[in-house]
Amino acid sequence: MTAASPTPSGDPLLAAKLSVPPVLRGLVGRRRLLDRLTEGTNGPLTLVTGPAGAGKTTAVASWAHQGTAPGPVVWVTPDREDSPRVFWAHVLEAFRRRLLLPDGGAGLPRAGDSAGRALLVRFAAALEGLAEPVVLVVDGLDKVPGREVAAGLEFLVDHAGPGLRLLLTSRVDPLLPLHRYRAEGRLCELRGAELAFTPREAAALLRGHGLAPGGEVVAGLTRRTEGWAAGLRLCALAVQRSGDPAGFATSYLASEQAVADYLLAEVLDAQPAAAQELLARTSVLDRVHPELADALTGRTDAERILDRLVRDNCFVQPVAGTRWFRVHPLFAGVLHARLRSRWPGLEPVLHRRAARWFAASGQLTETLVHAAAAGDWPYAAGEAVRQLLAGRLLAGLDEGRLDALFSGMPADVPGAEAALVTAARLLARHDAAAARRWVLRAERRVRHRGAGPEVRLTLALLRLLLAPHGTGSGAGAAARRTAELMAEVPAYRLKEHPEIEALRCHGRACALLAAGRPDEARAAFEETVRACTGEATHLVRHAAWGRLALAEAVRGELTAAADHAARALDVAERQGIPEDRRSGAGQLALATVACERGDFPTARHHLALAAEFTDTGADPVLRAEQAVVRSRVELAHGRWAAASAVLDEAEPQVPGWPAGRLAVARSAVALARGDPAAALSALHRPGPPGAGRAAVPGDASRTVALALAHLAAGRPARALRLVAAADARPAPDLPDRVRIGLLRARAAALAGDRPAARALLGQALDAAAPEQLRRPFAEAGPWLRHLLRDVPPPAARWLTAGPPSRPAGPVLVEALSGREREVLAYAARMMSNEEIAAALHLSVNTVKTHLRSVYRKLGTSRRREAVERGRELHLL
């Protein structure tokens, strides 16, 4: 149907341009937007802007139909071909049809013959006489070319009086003095971010299309489309056709295909050729910087083009506080497809250029991403080593992403750098044997071709970190060589990488522990903790606290060990270290402490937790200590065969000090079953190849074990000579000192000197009491019970009382909040942090924060413990 009055050009006025669009089927009533529009139209100007398909028209039309406007709604939809005179003709006709002009519009041209000031003055004067407010909606103001219409609207806002309420929709900001209206409080704005669908609204939209989406499907589509209305609707239609909502929600390609035609027609094809080329070429980037865009396009006007795309709401947004821009992910996917179809073979070239630009900007991760995408592996590996990537990999900084980047690197890439990167990746995954092979390959290439300081430093650091996986010997020289090479690297680079010094100290400490020098290792781990400064060293600090605790537990410093193990666990939780990168050393130290104090249920608990970490089974020291503690727990329950089997299952090729620890543990099992000959054999049998003397250590522990075996075999004189030699060495560990005292007490009792035996036993009790060290007494044998009867009760009360009992039931330190209980409930369903975040519409970091709070309040350190405690407390 057409209007009776023609436009100035003689064409009829189209009624469709003067009608409020009908409400679409399946429309989602978004109350928050309707309320904002009602609030906005109480003032003179409301502006709704957003990209194509953002739902501007739908939202305003829905509001107009609901009848909450402050007065009649006059609707005008301009076209791109409309001249200012045609535009004003439609506006006047729309008012006349609604019979809103006080005198029927007398004195105003019937078809807007003139759109000049005289018309606007007469129109503004007519509007001043309105009996009630009228809302003039101009839907799609950006379609009207030039400044003249905007200037006319500005005149009306300023002169038509309070009866006119102007509501504009546009893809771009109109040429109005918006800054002045904002300052005067006369402007209400709804931008694209506010128009975006929330997950709840997206779920309602999908249901309106006959779908019954689950929470993961809704979260996936909302995240993919970023709440873009047209994108959600197009995806909903595509899901209907596919019949596989879950599969569609996880497929980026399906989402891109669903919206590709719309974005190409409505957005990309409407842009000038220069903007189209820029968007296509920069589609290889996650974020766009003007200078980087210039490098990829060969132009010098990228910033101007990007700014215009932002102003025009072309799915390009600035990153707050930076010169970077981001493209909507679905639009980026469509652009990427356009690049591949229009310019085949150009993509690797663009990635190579991007890699060089990021390298010059000092952005390592992005450099490697684009070098890998270009297949330029020699350059990627060279930059990785030049920027000391090994430290980042081994300290857990972006380790997952960096490891994935180089997972596609072929094995035949030339140069020492590629071999070093591969070795660092393998060592970060605790595959020391494979890492050592690649280090040897790198050494051959360095000798053949020479290398720069970063290459030689990376090689020395990897050698040092691999030392504990051998005998641990030579650690001092390796640490000194690493320090010398650090002096050759530019100081600013080392300042940027504090993890290098932390790793050097940690590698030396681990090697000292593997070499059977726990006292020196303890001091070295303390040095490591001091060297851990800043976020880059959180993982190293966590590992160092755990191994320091283990070194102290082995020496019998149980209180300090428990404290430092707790610090290791606390660092992991507070800093959000991923569970697959955490160390089991802290849990193993707690298991050792509990075992030494005779609390075997607690020891089993911590052993089970320690076993879940990769390094517990991969590190020779941790693997051996795990077997030793498990064997002691079995032995405490009289299960000799099981205790022996645990030790036999331990790696037979464990070198150095760990092999000695296993030998002493085997000797204890043999003595427990009454076989001193087997005990002596365990201590004298040769160690694994390459182990040297340390495989059957000549330290106090082995000497005391030999003495106990000879005493059990009926050779007390020889046993006493052995312990005298052990006692003469500097500062035996507390467990060894206590065992020496017990051996002498038993020898005195066998010789019939009970007073001396009682005195020696009293000294052993006094030495063990501060640390509540019970295991040497528990393993001493039946003779001890008879002698304890002669010891004054106060001296032995701590021993006979047993370890302190734990609370009868679980204790809740502090009540959980409602959100924390929700997070715990989802954790009990074995959902990942990402899945919980999607279900609760939170960020992953927020979920991690809630989980850490749950652990603290429940007195636990891990997710499984928290779930078990939650069930015990009836929280789940």
Side-chain angles (χ1 to χ4, degrees), residues 253-280:
L253 180 60
S255 301
E256 291 165 6
Q257 290 172 341
V259 303
D261 291 342
Y262 184 96
L263 288 171
L264 289 173
E266 292 291 328
V267 183
L268 185 61
D269 290 345
Q271 301 305 315
Q276 290 190 36
E277 183 180 3
L278 181 144
L279 287 168

Side-chain angles (χ1 to χ4, degrees), residues 232-244 248 254-255 257-258:
L232 277 169
R233 187 174 292 277
L234 290 168
C235 286
L237 294 170
V239 170
Q240 283 181 316
R241 294 191 296 270
S242 73
D244 180 17
F248 187 95
S255 301
Q257 290 172 341

